[in-house]
């Protein structure tokens, strides 16, 4: 194992041993072997690599005395600086944790500090000064010229060189020394960003001390959360969204009304060889190839840094075999070769608007064997500079030391910067809630639908808007609200497995593609990770995605796209990036057990556990539409990520108490009433049955219908109940819970999710935390998966169980 101290000592010794070049060349000249770089560009790449390496050492140094909190090193991966150089600083980049050199070079590009590709013209001597006087101090002799200086052809001189004539008339070509790093150049600024992240400084520009990530909006670097490939599905979604926008799709007209990326941008997404075997990365690559196969273009360059940890040849074989993704490969320790191949790959993706993967062979220093140190990319770049005549080893060592002292000074400065010191500071950007603005957005949508948009709305609904069609079911109400949402927000896109062709598994999206076209309502692969990834990328690009997950059961395998990627975006970027999204999920259970566990899932604990995530569960048609409008408005206004869980068992229900009573249907509200019927996030709905003075039943979803039926039975026994439909499971409507519980002093919590980890635990905790002193009891589903057929009734909540639970509570 190579220690940081060993790696530093070895590099210093190797640099010193490189000696001086045989023939000195000016930095403005291209590589002598016809390579794609100039000396100045190669030196800039060396600077980025050195900065990254020294940041690794600084991280270990800081952690050694308890001031550093992140030590994942980029050592051995520094060749990706050449990939950054081959791209544009406006190309969105999603970087894994070993991307220090890429980040440093991107910062230099954005600051205009990376030299232009073409050699720069020789600077003119200042007026009144001889060529001898214009030679830089410390210039070294290249060769003596026997010919008269006036007869020397300018083309034979190194670019930027000068001719010094001494008192005897002898002429010497002089080439400037390497310029010294400026104290606050672009590399120092990039290092300050990274060091601030390492020490958890509140001044860190991406996450503000909340996490150590590579991210900055002005560098087009999107923060990511892990190295396990969880960001790849987002990259695919962003690439697809950029191409749709380039072809004419319109972003939303909310606060983030335009995509920040150029029309010809390329998305670059880096990962390592370990992530290449991760299920999430596999899903992303598969989805990319599938879209290419179907003719949809995705301009994404996947960058795989392969340090050889997998079985020999496995990563190459895996990446080469991906259909629809062009394969490029380069030695990641050779910056000239990497730059050449990366430029070719980036140009191909940019021109063809199709995906490619660049497979870089790298090493992972400080974590693997000493033999890997021989392939140190910093040493390889230093050798290139020396053998090409641009610098001597001692000069590069001096440059390395100077940069080291520079970073040491910066590290000591950031140690004195403030840390996050209050809960408010930490959660401020987690999930902002601006209910007044959301309410205003709903009112504006209503005004537009009733006014300027009335004609388009009537046309979209075939001349008969939903408010004129009579009572609607839950599914019909959601369908109508989706259509109204798409009419109001041009950037809204509805997608998922068979949502366009079949209207989804339960027909909720039926007819939307015919109304709004295949560009806005489209089918995807039946892979929930990729579906959510498409939504994450589309939201980042300025669209308003509404993906559908077929069943709640299928969401669990993709939940990290919500937990690790969606919910963290504002948190990791201080609000600079958002991924607004409304995820529709048919869920919860039916007492007839149709489909068994696959179609009947009541697990919501994992969603409620995600900080900032909005979880909505509409039970009635007249709640579903306004709640969906609220979610769409919150996504636009606050960048909220909402999960809209739709009870499958209630989709097509029409009756409440008796067959044919139609009391579970409702008229669709006309636009003029939307503002008055607005349902804010975190507000419950209360039904009074009988006197409503004896018992409070708190429930949601299927439990609302069952509780109302139980309350009717209890009313016949002289018991008055108030039934509280939570509607929002995250955040819970705590104020409404406490008010309605205190009104009767007896609370029955009806929780159709499981007894352990269910919603009821949150309700009871809220009661305890706020000092409720009345009686409380819970009716909940058993801690069991839902079995097939009538057996489901043995584990799920029923109206009879609710009635009996109420009687037991009242008898205390």
């Amino acid at each position: 194992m190579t220690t940081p101290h060993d790696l530093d000592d070895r590099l210093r010794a190797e640099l010193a041993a490189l000696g001086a070049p045989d023939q000195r060349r000016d930095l403005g000249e291209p590589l002598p072997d016809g390579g794609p770089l100039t000396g100045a560009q190669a030196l800039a790449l060396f600077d980025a690599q050195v900065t990254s390496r020294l940041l690794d050492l600084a991280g270990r140094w800081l952690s050694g005395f308890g001031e550093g909190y992140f030590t994942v090193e980029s050592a051995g991966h520094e060749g990706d600086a050449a990939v950054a150089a081959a791209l544009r600083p406006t190309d969105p980049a999603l970087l894994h944790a070993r991307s220090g050199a890429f980040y440093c070079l991107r910062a230099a590009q954005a600051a205009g500090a990376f030299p232009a590709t073409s050699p720069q013209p020789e600077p003119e001597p200042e007026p009144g000064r001889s060529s001898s006087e214009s030679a830089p101090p410390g210039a070294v002799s290249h060769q003596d010229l026997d010919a008269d200086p006036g007869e020397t052809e300018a083309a034979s001189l190194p670019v930027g060189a000068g001719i010094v004539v001494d008192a005897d008339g002898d002429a010497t070509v002089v080439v400037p020394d390497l310029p010294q790093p400026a104290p606050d150049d672009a590399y120092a600024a990039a290092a300050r960003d990274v060091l601030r992240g390492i020490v958890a400084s509140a001044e860190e520009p991406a996450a503000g001390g909340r996490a150590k990530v590579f991210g900055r909006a002005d560098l087009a670097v999107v923060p990511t959360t892990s190295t396990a490939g969880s960001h790849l599905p987002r990259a695919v979604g962003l690439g697809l969204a950029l191409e749709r926008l380039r072809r004419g799709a319109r972003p939303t007209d909310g606060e983030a009304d335009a995509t920040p990326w150029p029309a010809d941008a390329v998305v670059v997404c880096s990962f390592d060889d370990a992530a290449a075997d991760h299920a999430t990365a596999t899903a992303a690559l598969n989805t990319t190839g599938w879209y290419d196969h179907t003719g949809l273009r995705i301009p994404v360059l996947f960058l795989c840094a392969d340090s050889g940890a997998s079985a020999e040849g496995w990563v190459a074989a895996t990446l080469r075999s991906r259909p629809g993704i062009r394969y490029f490969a380069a030695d990641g320790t050779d910056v000239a070769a990497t730059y050449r191949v990366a430029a070719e790959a980036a140009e191909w993706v940019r021109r063809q608007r199709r995906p490619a993967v660049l497979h870089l062979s790298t090493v992972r220093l400080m974590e693997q064997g000493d033999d890997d140190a021989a392939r140190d990319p910093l040493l390889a770049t230093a050798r290139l500079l020396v053998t090409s005549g641009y610098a001597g080893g001692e000069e590069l060592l001096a440059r390395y030391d100077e940069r080291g002292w520079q970073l040491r000074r910066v590290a000591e400065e950031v140690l004195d910067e403030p840390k996050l010191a209050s809960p408010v500071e930490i959660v401020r950007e987690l999930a902002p809630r601006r209910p007044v603005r959301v309410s205003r957005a709903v009112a504006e949508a209503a005004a537009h639908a009733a006014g300027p948009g009335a004609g388009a709305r009537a046309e979209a609904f075939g001349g008969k808007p939903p408010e004129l069609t009579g009572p609607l079911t839950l599914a019909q109400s959601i369908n109508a609200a989706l259509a109204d949402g798409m009419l109001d927000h041009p950037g809204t896109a509805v997608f998922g497995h068979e949502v366009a062709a079949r209207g989804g598994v339960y027909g909720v999206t039926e007819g939307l593609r015919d109304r709004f076209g295949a560009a806005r309502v489209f089918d995807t692969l039946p892979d929930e990770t990729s579906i959510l990834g498409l939504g994450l990328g589309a939201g980042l690009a300025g669209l308003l995605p509404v993906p559908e997950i077929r069943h709640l059961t299928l969401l669990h395998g993709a939940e990290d796209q919500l937990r690790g990627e969606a919910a963290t975006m504002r948190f990791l970027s201080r609000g600079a990036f958002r991924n607004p999204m409304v995820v529709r999920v048919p869920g919860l259970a039916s007492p007839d057990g149709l489909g068994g566990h696959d179609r009947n899932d009541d697990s919501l604990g994992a969603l409620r556990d995600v900080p900032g995530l909005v979880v909505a569960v509409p039970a009635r048609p007249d709640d579903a539409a306004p709640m969906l409008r609220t979610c769409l408005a919150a996504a636009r206004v606050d960048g909220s990520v909402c999960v809209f869980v739709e009870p499958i068992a209630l989709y097509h229900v029409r009756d409440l108490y008796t067959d044919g009573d139609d009391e579970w249907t409702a008229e669709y509200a006309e636009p003029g009433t939307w503002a008055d019927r607005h349902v804010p996030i975190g507000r419950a709905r209360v039904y009074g049955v009988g006197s409503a003075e004896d018992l409070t039943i708190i429930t949601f979803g299927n439990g609302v219908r069952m509780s109302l039926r139980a309350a009717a039975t209890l009313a016949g026994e002289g018991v008055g109940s108030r039934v509280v439909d939570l509607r929002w499971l995250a955040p819970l409507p705590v104020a409404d819970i406490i008010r309605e519980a205190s009104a009767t002093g007896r609370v029955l919590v009806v929780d159709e999710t499981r007894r352990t980890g269910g919603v009821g635990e949150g309700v009871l905790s809220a009661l305890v935390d706020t000092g409720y002193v009345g009686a409380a009891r819970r009716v909940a589903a058993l801690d069991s998966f839902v079995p097939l057929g009538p057996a489901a009734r043995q584990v799920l909540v029923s109206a009879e169980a609710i009635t009996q639970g109420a009687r037991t509570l009242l008898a205390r």
Side-chain angles (χ1 to χ4, degrees), residues 36-127:
L37 299 168
T38 66
Q41 290 173 323
L43 182 63
L45 290 169
F46 180 74
D47 280 340
Q49 292 178 310
V50 164
T51 305
S52 178
R53 176 65 56 80
L54 290 167
L55 284 168
D56 290 345
L57 300 179
R60 291 291 187 97
W61 172 66
L62 289 164
S63 67
F65 56 90
E67 292 289 353
Y69 307 100
F70 192 87
T71 56
V72 176
E73 294 96 359
S74 303
H77 285 221
E78 293 95 347
D80 65 2
V83 181
L87 294 160
R88 298 175 184 170
T90 52
D91 289 329
L94 291 80
L95 305 178
H96 72 105
R98 302 184 191 277
S99 303
F102 187 111
Y103 183 83
C104 292
L105 200 285
R106 171 60 67 90
Q109 273 185 316
F114 185 72
T117 301
S118 302
Q120 297 302 301
E122 179 182 346
E124 293 290 335
E126 295 180 22

Side-chain angles (χ1 to χ4, degrees), residues 536-562:
L536 292 171
L540 196 63
L543 299 174
L544 182 53
V546 186
E548 175 181 294
I549 303 299
R550 288 172 291 165
H551 305 292
L552 182 59
T553 314
L554 301 175
L555 178 64
H556 301 312
E559 276 171 346
D560 190 54
Q561 293 296 296
L562 292 176

Side-chain angles (χ1 to χ4, degrees), residues 517-689:
R520 298 184 64 193
V521 183
F522 56 92
D523 291 330
T524 67
L525 280 173
D527 174 61
E528 286 65 40
T529 293
S530 297
I531 292 170
L532 292 177
L534 294 178
L536 292 171
L540 196 63
L543 299 174
L544 182 53
V546 186
E548 175 181 294
I549 303 299
R550 288 172 291 165
H551 305 292
L552 182 59
T553 314
L554 301 175
L555 178 64
H556 301 312
E559 276 171 346
D560 190 54
Q561 293 296 296
L562 292 176
R563 183 201 63 81
E565 294 294 324
T568 59
M569 180 52 69
R570 289 193 67 116
F571 187 75
L572 296 179
S573 68
R574 298 202 292 186
F577 293 106
R578 320 182 322 160
N579 41 223
M581 185 163 60
V582 179
V583 184
R584 294 183 42 256
V585 188
L588 304 177
S590 172
D592 62 11
L594 178 65
H597 172 58
D598 180 56
R599 301 289 182 98
N600 293 269
D601 187 15
D602 50 16
S603 302
L604 295 175
L607 295 176
R608 294 188 61 248
D609 186 56
V610 179
L613 196 69
V614 174
V615 180
V617 182
R620 292 183 59 98
D622 48 346
D623 278 334
M627 288 174 69
L628 185 54
R629 279 192 286 271
T630 297
C631 288
L632 292 171
R636 290 176 56 219
V637 170
D638 292 326
S640 298
V641 181
C642 306
V643 179
F644 202 74
V645 181
E646 302 162 3
I648 296 171
L650 299 179
Y651 266 148
H652 307 297
V653 168
R654 305 190 67 88
D655 306 322
L656 173 56
Y657 299 114
T658 60
D659 292 345
D661 67 16
D662 256 8
E663 291 200 30
W664 207 256
T665 61
E667 301 281 347
Y668 191 83
E670 60 180 0
T673 66
W674 290 357
D676 293 336
R677 299 186 182 184
H678 170 58
V679 178
I681 291 175
R683 290 303 308 271
R685 178 175 179 175
V686 182
Y687 301 84
V689 181

Side-chain angles (χ1 to χ4, degrees), residues 267-285:
V267 180
V268 61
C269 180
S270 65
F271 58 104
D272 60 15
D273 49 330
D277 289 326
H278 196 275
T280 308
T282 300
L285 293 169

Side-chain angles (χ1 to χ4, degrees), residues 454-543:
R457 184 170 184 265
E459 182 179 356
F461 284 109
K464 193 172 184 180
E467 60 267 24
L468 300 180
T469 60
L472 303 182
T473 63
L474 181 71
Q476 292 169 332
S477 183
I478 293 171
N479 179 281
L482 283 171
D484 271 324
M486 297 189 76
L487 286 166
D488 187 56
H489 315 315
T492 304
V494 174
F495 53 90
H497 182 54
E498 297 184 332
V499 300
R502 290 183 51 196
V505 178
Y506 299 97
V508 180
T509 58
E510 184 177 357
L512 293 182
R513 183 176 64 177
D514 294 339
R515 294 176 188 171
F516 300 102
R520 298 184 64 193
V521 183
F522 56 92
D523 291 330
T524 67
L525 280 173
D527 174 61
E528 286 65 40
T529 293
S530 297
I531 292 170
L532 292 177
L534 294 178
L536 292 171
L540 196 63
L543 299 174

Side-chain angles (χ1 to χ4, degrees), residues 26 28-29 120-123 136 157-162 174-176:
D26 183 79
E29 293 186 84
Q120 297 302 301
E122 179 182 346
L157 299 178
V159 178
V174 293
V175 179

